[in-house]
Amino acid sequence: MLAPGFTDYHVHTPLCRHAEGWPVEFAQKALELGLAEIGFSDHNPMSAAFDDWRMLREELPRYFESVEAARAAAPALPIRLGLEVDYLPQTEAWWEELRSSAPWDYWIGSVHYLPDGTEVDHPKYISRHRETDPELIWSAYWQAYVECIRSGWFDFVAHPDLPKKFGYRPKGDLRRFYEPAIQALLDTGVAYEINTAGLRKDCRELYPAREFVELARAAGVPVLINSDAHAVAELGAGFREAVGLLRDCGYAETVRFERGKKIRVPLPE
Ligand code: ZN
Ligand code: FE
Ligand code: FE
Ligand code: ZN
């Protein structure tokens, strides 16, 4: 059991082809953990075939049905409908269509693709992290991340310092990458997540690093804690560590989302 009041809004389903556990199973686990709410946020479909780690457009109805089935199975648990959307500027027309296709509670903005078409977190590109100056990868990533925040499409953004996943980081003070992102969050009112999946990757730390959280807290940027679960056992994982970091940095509030409305609530203990 977790302390009362936690939510987990970053949860995947088998429709993305690299996760296991259907929403009904996650809902059961959420009740066991004592989560106050959960939300599904599978990788968004594209308008046409794109890569092998997301649902197809024709599968969207199944996604909605699977979330409805979880709501029916756990009527006491608020279950939100979200989407983890890859920020790719050329797909806006499709996003319009997608946006109007369901009563979304929130959209999460993510940068997995760099402008050169490589995926910053995909194991098939791990050698690129070894062979390229991390400075170049981080610069490209954070520039895209700022654009993602400023695009106006998203309620919060995912795993801020994702390029550290395999343990490669530029030298020196990394706050130079964080500051423009935090300014963009401040300007737009977009929130960010503490994503506990980093604890399970080679970098062995939360996304984002403490320095990001300190700067964001000082700027008054809203935050929420998510697991990015791709399996039922990962739901709520690492939440004690995450809330400890937030409290250490001075946070006393988190946010929830309902139909795109941001609701401030006290941070759980
Ligand atoms: Zn995924
Ligand atoms: Fe992601
Ligand atoms: Fe995710
Ligand atoms: Zn993710």
Side-chain angles (χ1 to χ4, degrees), residues 10 12 43 84 110 112 158-159 193 195 228 230:
H10 191 152
H12 291 274
H43 298 287
E84 181 179 10
S110 283
H112 303 108
H159 37 60
E193 68 171 6
N195 182 312
D228 205 348
H230 285 71

Side-chain angles (χ1 to χ4, degrees), residues 60-186:
L60 258 178
R62 271 188 83 198
Y63 182 52
F64 302 146
E65 284 159 20
S66 72
V67 172
E68 280 308 322
R71 286 173 173 157
L77 179 71
I79 299 179
R80 305 296 173 203
L81 178 66
L83 204 58
E84 181 179 10
V85 179
D86 273 84
Y87 178 68
L88 293 162
Q90 67 275 19
T91 54
E92 293 221 352
W94 165 235
W95 289 352
E96 296 275 7
E97 193 181 328
L98 203 49
R99 181 74 112 187
S100 58
S101 68
W104 305 102
D105 289 300
Y106 55 85
W107 272 20
I108 312 177
S110 283
V111 173
H112 303 108
Y113 282 93
L114 298 180
D116 67 4
T118 61
E119 291 146 82
V120 76
D121 63 331
H122 199 296
K124 78 181 173 199
Y125 291 110
I126 191 166
S127 63
R128 189 158 183 271
H129 290 268
R130 240 178 268 124
E131 293 153 8
T132 313
D133 182 355
E135 188 77 25
L136 297 175
I137 293 174
W138 280 54
S139 297
Y141 172 84
W142 286 98
Q143 195 175 324
Y145 202 70
V146 167
E147 286 171 25
C148 171
I149 294 166
R150 292 197 185 276
S151 72
W153 282 96
F154 308 115
D155 299 287
F156 65 93
V157 281
H159 37 60
D161 55 358
L162 182 64
K164 76 180 176 189
K165 175 176 178 177
F166 303 114
Y168 299 93
R169 296 175 185 78
K171 292 188 176 63
D173 189 338
L174 299 175
R175 286 180 293 191
R176 67 187 187 281
F177 297 105
Y178 310 154
E179 279 160 353
I182 288 160
Q183 187 61 51
L185 293 169
L186 189 58

